[in-house]
Amino acid sequence: VQLQASGGGLVQAGGSLRLSCAASGSIFSINAVGWYRQAPGNEREWVASIRNGGSTIYAESAKGRFTISRDNAKNMVYLQMNSLKPEDTAVYSCSADLKVTNQGVWRRYWGPGTQVTVSS
């Protein structure tokens, strides 16, 4: 199983980016998927999560600006980020709680992140 975040880049303050998280490999089912970020010198910070049924939850810093969504058929999760601020600069990564078989246990997988840089 592999998770890969993509879509990062350099954007001016006020701009937008859409991040993608792709899950691949032998996957039976995916439950919650979350986006996290880590800025230099800071601890990893949770940004948003989405459950299999589509319910979402956001960190206060993301509310009203970020939207998490998923395409279960493609094993993809997206993070639309609008009104970006310099303090959003960080490496963004995704995690997924998934099972590789019907009888298996739920396990959280992580993938490498993608750099988001917001210039002022």
Side-chain angles (χ1 to χ4, degrees):
V1 175
Q2 289 187 331
L3 291 181
Q4 182 64 58
S6 62
L10 173 63
V11 63
Q12 289 188 333
S16 299
L17 281 174
R18 187 193 192 208
L19 305 184
S20 298
C21 175
S24 61
S26 180
I27 298 170
F28 176 76
S29 180
I30 301 176
N31 191 3
V33 177
W35 281 99
Y36 295 77
R37 67 186 183 186
Q38 187 167 20
N42 291 356
E43 294 187 352
R44 185 170 60 198
E45 174 190 15
W46 167 74
V47 176
S49 294
I50 184 167
R51 292 192 176 276
N52 190 26
S55 60
T56 59
I57 187 170
Y58 297 91
E60 285 297 323
S61 59
K63 284 182 181 178
R65 300 187 300 127
F66 295 1
T67 302
I68 189 171
S69 61
R70 67 191 289 165
D71 184 334
N72 290 333
K74 296 181 180 179
N75 287 342
M76 295 286 295
V77 171
Y78 307 97
L79 185 68
Q80 177 67 43
M81 304 188 295
N82 299 327
S83 302
L84 283 163
K85 306 173 182 179
E87 50 263 44
D88 294 318
T89 296
V91 174
Y92 286 70
S93 58
C94 56
S95 72
D97 296 338
L98 61 87
K99 292 168 63 173
V100 296
T101 65
N102 187 22
Q103 293 79 20
V105 298
W106 292 102
R107 178 188 166 190
R108 179 160 295 179
Y109 290 79
W110 293 87
T114 184
Q115 176 70 46
V116 171
T117 303
V118 184
S119 62
S120 58

